Amino acid sequence: MASILYKWFFTTGLFLIFSNVSHPIYVSVVEIEHNATGKTLEVSCKLFTDDLEKVLRSTYKVPVDLINPKDRSAMDKLVNDYVQKHFKITADNRALNLKYIGYEQDEEGILSYYEAENLPQLKTIRIFNNLLYEYKPEQMGLVHVTVNGTRKSTKMVNPADQAELQF
């Protein structure tokens, strides 16, 4: 019996390794941290590289290579524009202007960074997030927010795209 299970797991594992399956889930992960000393909100957004590149190609109708770009500034512009249209933050009833810092590759994903200034304190944060929703119906977004050492998280599953957290 054990040898049959071993063969089944081995065969299934080989199939998954050599098949064209890039990853089994479709998720974005956003980390938001309030820096009380600097009075800033620091945001990082992680998306699977292949998914983001496909969405950028279909949205902007241009060649996209985020890992080895021919024109880094053009890729920065695409990433920033896409994320800014699909991810927004309101803090204490004030829409935040997220300043784009840049992006980098992190394992299978692209991490993009943003910052909002002049936030001495934070009590309520509203999030709009529909990153990659147009790409996969099963897309979900995880958002983790840390304020004054307290971390709260929320999950948004397509089509749900809004959440509110109180601190």
Side-chain angles (χ1 to χ4, degrees):
M1 180 69 170
S3 66
I4 294 172
L5 285 174
Y6 174 78
K7 288 177 184 176
W8 186 83
F9 283 123
F10 181 76
T11 305
T12 303
L14 284 177
F15 173 76
L16 290 175
I17 289 170
F18 293 109
S19 69
N20 197 15
V21 176
S22 56
H23 50 84
I25 61 170
Y26 298 94
V27 64
S28 65
V29 179
V30 175
E31 294 278 346
I32 302 170
E33 186 163 345
H34 182 243
N35 179 337
T37 306
K39 300 178 183 176
T40 60
L41 199 64
E42 300 162 355
V43 179
S44 68
C45 176
K46 186 171 185 178
L47 301 165
F48 282 106
T49 304
D50 57 336
D51 297 343
L52 180 56
E53 286 181 337
K54 288 175 186 172
V55 165
L56 293 176
R57 279 185 203 109
S58 72
T59 302
Y60 299 99
K61 310 295 186 221
V62 296
V64 175
D65 185 349
L66 297 174
I67 298 170
N68 299 303
K70 291 180 182 176
D71 181 354
R72 175 62 189 232
S73 65
M75 295 302 105
D76 276 316
K77 187 175 189 286
L78 293 177
V79 169
N80 181 39
D81 188 65
Y82 179 80
V83 172
Q84 295 273 1
K85 286 179 180 173
H86 295 274
F87 183 81
K88 299 181 186 311
I89 300 173
T90 303
D92 297 330
N93 295 317
R94 181 178 130 210
L96 299 185
N97 179 28
L98 295 176
K99 177 184 165 192
Y100 178 69
I101 306 297
Y103 81 86
E104 67 180 344
Q105 182 184 8
D106 181 47
E107 297 174 1
E108 310 88 29
I110 294 294
L111 266 169
S112 56
Y113 301 98
Y114 305 84
E115 183 178 73
E117 298 176 333
N118 197 22
L119 289 166
Q121 58 184 330
L122 188 62
K123 294 183 181 183
T124 302
I125 186 165
R126 284 193 202 110
I127 299 153
F128 167 79
N129 177 8
N130 69 358
L131 293 164
L132 303 177
Y133 276 20
E134 72 275 30
Y135 176 61
K136 290 287 180 184
E138 59 271 26
Q139 181 72 34
M140 72 175 117
L142 302 176
V143 180
H144 308 291
V145 183
T146 304
V147 175
N148 295 325
T150 301
R151 181 177 163 113
K152 294 187 178 184
S153 299
T154 188
K155 177 173 88 171
M156 291 173 253
V157 179
N158 194 356
D161 59 8
Q162 296 185 41
E164 180 175 299
L165 299 169
Q166 303 282 329
F167 290 90

